[in-house]
């Protein structure tokens, strides 16, 4: 759909997603080659968001599979509606149907519950390839990762009772990982890889200004500088872009015009999600960070 990296980057920008050149190239190549895009990075840096804005830019459906420990084929691919099958079986027994007729009735698409992976394959067969987001793959078990390896190789699913269902054209696949465990090399080899890091000051400032256009420019610079400073601390979980935007929304809701010690202390729970991290920021540390943020805000402004 896009004839150049610049054209794709502009389309993402229209969806309020500011992508650096390297990420834009990776997404462009994924679209051109049909290979899955594997994105790694800390939580909250925008991995999931790229799939959402890409679907919007392409005018495609977004199908999301949220991974977790214990995820299996029944949840990710398909399962049979057993309750519906039993009820239908009783009706057929009353009608006196033959065994073969009963089996063909019971194991038909009428009773097939289609989960995200099968939905993506079927939509691709219909000529409307969706964007398939396989989110936080590192949270799933290695057994499911092995199954996914086969799926991403052939883009087909075999249902014993119905046969093999293949995609006429592969869906646009985005796989994300927060790197809580290593993903096997065999799966990575089938994908285009890109690491999304925390944004630099000017990129994050642009994101804040884009997402909160009514925010005073000085406060936007102070927020960005404060978050950038916070990421340099020894924290269990450094704040991502998601936390930056949540904090921005909180400060707007509190009608703040600039950072203050009291406001930052009251809203630390918006930025930090672990008590040990909250306790790291004593009042003196917070005030020093605010002072640096105000200086940085003035200098950049």
């Amino acid at each position: 759909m896009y004839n150049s990296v610049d054209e794709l980057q502009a389309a993402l920008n229209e969806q309020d997603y500011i992508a650096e050149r390297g990420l834009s190239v990776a997404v462009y190549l994924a679209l051109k080659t049909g290979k899955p895009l594997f994105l790694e990075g800390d939580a909250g840096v925008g991995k999931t968001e790229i799939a959402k804005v890409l679907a919007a830019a392409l005018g495609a459906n977004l199908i999301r599979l949220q991974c977790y420990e214990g995820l299996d084929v029944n949840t990710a691919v398909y399962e049979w509606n057993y309750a519906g099958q039993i009820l239908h079986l009783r009706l057929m027994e009353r009608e006196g149907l033959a065994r073969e007729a009963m089996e063909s009735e019971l194991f038909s698409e009428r009773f097939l519950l289609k989960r995200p992976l099968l939905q993506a394959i079927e939509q691709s067969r219909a000529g409307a390839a969706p964007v398939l987001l396989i989110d936080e793959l590192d949270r799933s078990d290695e057994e499911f990762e092995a199954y996914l390896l086969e799926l991403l190789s052939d883009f087909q699913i075999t249902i014993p009772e119905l046969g093999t269902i293949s995609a006429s054209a592969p869906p646009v696949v985005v796989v994300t990982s927060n790197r809580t465990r290593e993903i096997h090399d065999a799966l990575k080899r089938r994908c285009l890889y890109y690491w999304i890091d925390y944004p630099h000051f000017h990129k994050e400032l642009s994101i804040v200004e884009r997402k909160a256009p009514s925010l005073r420019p000085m406060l936007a610079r102070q927020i960005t500088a404060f978050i950038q400073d916070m990421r340099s601390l020894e924290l269990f979980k450094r704040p991502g872009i998601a936390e930056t935007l949540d904090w921005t929304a909180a400060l707007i809701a509190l009608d703040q015009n600039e950072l203050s010690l009291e406001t930052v202390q009251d809203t630390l729970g918006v930025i930090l999600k672990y008590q040990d991290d909250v306790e790291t920021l004593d009042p003196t540390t917070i005030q020093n960070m605010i002072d640096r943020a105000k200086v940085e805000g003035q200098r950049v402004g």
Side-chain angles (χ1 to χ4, degrees), residues 65-136:
L65 174 63
Q66 179 63 52
C67 298
Y68 55 87
E69 186 177 354
L71 179 66
D72 58 13
V73 172
N74 288 339
T75 308
V77 188
Y78 76 93
E79 66 178 324
W80 292 104
N81 182 356
Y82 297 115
Q85 287 175 316
I86 291 173
L87 290 174
H88 193 62
L89 176 61
R90 290 175 179 172
L91 291 174
M92 290 189 294
E93 287 175 343
R94 290 180 181 179
E95 295 175 0
L97 294 181
R99 181 183 180 87
E100 293 76 10
M102 288 185 181
E103 289 182 353
S104 62
E105 280 277 328
L106 290 177
F107 294 100
S108 62
E109 286 201 32
R110 175 181 177 182
F111 297 105
L112 186 65
L113 301 177
K114 302 170 184 178
R115 303 308 187 195
L117 296 183
L118 180 56
Q119 291 172 14
I121 295 294
E122 289 217 323
Q123 287 190 24
S124 296
R125 292 183 70 189
V131 173
L132 172 61
L133 170 61
I134 303 173
D135 210 11
E136 298 183 325

Side-chain angles (χ1 to χ4, degrees), residues 223-273:
I223 290 172
T224 305
F226 189 92
I227 293 291
Q228 293 271 324
D229 197 358
M230 182 177 284
R231 292 196 187 114
S232 67
L233 302 176
E234 291 294 329
L235 300 174
F236 181 76
K237 171 62 179 72
R238 292 182 291 174
I241 301 174
E243 285 75 28
T244 303
L245 296 177
D246 287 344
W247 195 40
T248 300
L251 295 176
I252 291 174
L254 294 172
D255 295 323
Q256 298 300 300
N257 294 319
E258 65 176 1
L259 297 183
S260 67
L261 177 60
E262 181 182 6
T263 301
V264 172
Q265 287 180 312
D266 289 344
T267 58
L268 273 180
V270 180
I271 313 170
L272 302 175
K273 308 303 179 181

